[in-house]
Amino acid sequence: MLGNVARLQEQAGLAYDALYESPTAALAQLRQARKKLEELCRIDATMQETAESLRPAEIAVEEAAHTLQHYLGRLEADPKRLDHVEARLSEIDKLKRKYGSNVSEILAFGAEVSQKLEALETAGDRRAKLSQQREALSKEFEQAAARLTKLRREASLLLETSVQAELGSLAMEGCLFRVEFSSGDWSARGVDRIRFLISANRGEEPKALDKIASGGEMSRVALALKTSTMSKTGEGRRSKVARTLVFDEVDAGIGGGTAEAVGRRLKKLAGSNQLLCVTHLPQVAGFADHHYQVEKVEVNGRTMATVRKLEAEERTREIGRMLSGQKMTPEALKQAEQLIKLGAK
């Protein structure tokens, strides 16, 4: 508009003249036509409606003329203002090429940059504040970790005593069990790195359980650990966490009374957990709530493993077979019945 003031003045002025100012203006022509029609109506009243219809047209033309007059009064050439606006539009076009396709995107980019600048300017203060927070939280963590370590060390002494006693009943009388503490990285679990150590033979230094224990020993240590941790704690509470535990070769290298002791501990542990136990000892199998037989069979030239649940009579025969071998004897069946009765108590 600033760049076309002269043209706007010219066109608005011509329109104003055509409507109002010139001798042949529309308003003058309408008024003259209405007067002629009013004279005509004195003779022929049928044209009265036509004459009346010109009044709204006169009013509309008069209002349009007044609006144009005010518009012409506002139009004023301002070269300085024109230069300022053109320079501003040019600057906006430059910004669009670099920072956004429209003014909203440019303003958003500016706000983002301002925030980053403010963050940089206050970085020193923020760093100092964060350092104080870190120091306070570190102190709080160290105190909590120290309390946790103290509780763990106290509990480890009870666990060592309990596990060692359990191992003695599982044909590992000479075995030493120890809990080793060392410092580790900070975590939600504290700062302790804990390893279970074992010495299977007297006179030897305990070493990492996972490094020196055989499969059978590992299973029996696991059984001792689970049995110990499910027993009453110092506060008289029992663990309520039910788990599925798998024991394989837990009976390796044992028999007789020791095998019965292992069976009893598995039965006890099964009271609050689901246990799956792979065993070749009838003394252990007799304590099971459910007995499954695993066999290998050949199907179409391929060896397959099958698992079948044994019912009462089948279970008695299977435990009898485990006692006597391939040749079943009445004595073996009778002993199998006794083992099953013993396990049910």
Side-chain angles (χ1 to χ4, degrees):
M1 288 181 66
L2 289 170
N4 291 276
V5 169
R7 187 178 178 187
L8 293 173
Q9 287 175 333
E10 179 185 359
Q11 299 299 324
L14 290 172
Y16 179 74
D17 288 344
L19 290 174
Y20 190 82
E21 191 68 27
S22 71
T24 58
L27 183 59
Q29 296 292 329
L30 282 170
R31 285 174 178 173
Q32 186 177 1
R34 182 173 55 81
K35 288 179 180 180
K36 297 297 182 182
L37 284 172
E38 286 175 353
E39 291 176 4
L40 186 151
C41 288
R42 292 191 185 100
I43 302 170
D44 185 0
T46 59
M47 295 301 293
Q48 184 66 38
E49 185 177 349
T50 303
E52 292 294 331
S53 68
L54 293 178
R55 290 185 179 276
E58 287 182 49
I59 296 172
V61 170
E62 192 170 9
E63 288 180 351
H66 286 311
T67 302
L68 282 168
Q69 188 178 29
H70 288 301
Y71 179 74
L72 284 164
R74 293 198 307 271
L75 288 175
E76 183 180 354
D78 188 349
K80 292 184 178 180
R81 173 66 178 164
L82 177 60
D83 291 343
H84 172 74
V85 171
E86 287 181 343
R88 183 174 176 82
L89 289 173
S90 176
E91 186 66 24
I92 291 174
D93 287 337
K94 291 179 182 177
L95 294 172
K96 284 182 179 179
R97 288 194 290 271
K98 295 181 66 175
Y99 305 117
S101 60
N102 54 55
V103 174
S104 297
E105 292 181 5
I106 294 170
L107 293 175
F109 179 83
E112 181 182 353
V113 171
S114 296
Q115 290 178 354
K116 290 181 178 179
L117 285 172
E118 185 179 357
L120 289 173
E121 291 170 354
T122 60
D125 295 337
R126 291 176 62 249
R127 187 180 293 109
K129 185 177 180 181
L130 289 173
S131 179
Q132 291 176 355
Q133 290 178 346
R134 179 179 179 181
E135 186 176 347
L137 290 172
S138 296
K139 187 175 181 180
E140 184 179 344
F141 176 88
E142 288 173 347
Q143 291 173 348
R147 290 194 298 269
L148 182 58
T149 298
K150 182 175 180 294
L151 291 172
R152 281 177 173 155
R153 287 188 178 277
E154 293 172 355
S156 70
L157 297 176
L158 298 174
L159 184 64
E160 287 176 352
T161 302
S162 178
V163 170
Q164 195 139 339
E166 290 291 332
L167 290 175
S169 302
L170 300 174
M172 297 178 70
E173 296 86 350
C175 180
L176 287 177
F177 176 80
R178 294 290 181 267
V179 181
E180 180 188 70
F181 284 79
S182 61
S183 296
D185 297 332
W186 288 15
S187 73
R189 299 186 177 187
V191 295
D192 300 317
R193 295 179 62 184
I194 297 175
R195 291 197 307 170
F196 290 157
L197 307 181
I198 190 172
S199 171
N201 303 303
R202 295 186 186 277
E204 293 183 1
E205 284 294 319
K207 296 180 180 179
L209 174 64
D210 58 333
K211 300 296 184 183
I212 66 169
S214 64
E217 290 172 338
M218 186 75 79
S219 293
R220 275 177 275 172
V221 171
L223 176 57
L225 279 166
K226 295 299 181 182
T227 304
S228 297
T229 54
M230 73 165 286
S231 62
K232 289 186 178 181
T233 64
E235 298 177 357
R237 296 176 297 178
R238 289 182 179 272
S239 172
K240 295 183 180 179
V241 179
R243 301 177 181 176
T244 297
L245 307 174
V246 180
F247 290 96
D248 188 14
E249 298 186 23
V250 71
D251 53 14
I254 62 173
T258 301
E260 182 182 335
V262 169
R264 289 189 181 279
R265 277 158 178 75
L266 288 169
K267 181 79 172 181
K268 180 181 178 183
L269 194 58
S272 57
N273 300 274
Q274 176 177 264
L275 259 66
L276 301 176
C277 180
V278 180
T279 182
H280 300 280
L281 286 182
Q283 293 93 330
V284 174
F287 284 93
D289 294 318
H290 306 280
H291 194 151
Y292 295 84
Q293 184 184 50
V294 181
E295 290 182 307
K296 288 184 178 180
V297 295
E298 187 174 319
V299 179
N300 297 326
R302 291 187 60 193
T303 301
M304 313 261 310
T306 64
V307 181
R308 184 170 63 88
K309 184 178 181 180
L310 302 180
E311 302 301 333
E313 185 176 346
E314 292 177 310
R315 185 184 179 198
T316 302
R317 294 186 62 81
E318 176 62 16
I319 292 179
R321 185 196 63 75
M322 294 169 73
L323 285 165
S324 63
Q326 293 299 324
K327 186 177 180 181
M328 187 67 63
T329 64
E331 291 79 9
L333 287 174
K334 196 170 189 179
Q335 190 176 355
E337 291 175 354
Q338 292 299 319
L339 285 175
I340 293 173
K341 288 180 180 177
L342 180 65
K345 292 181 180 179

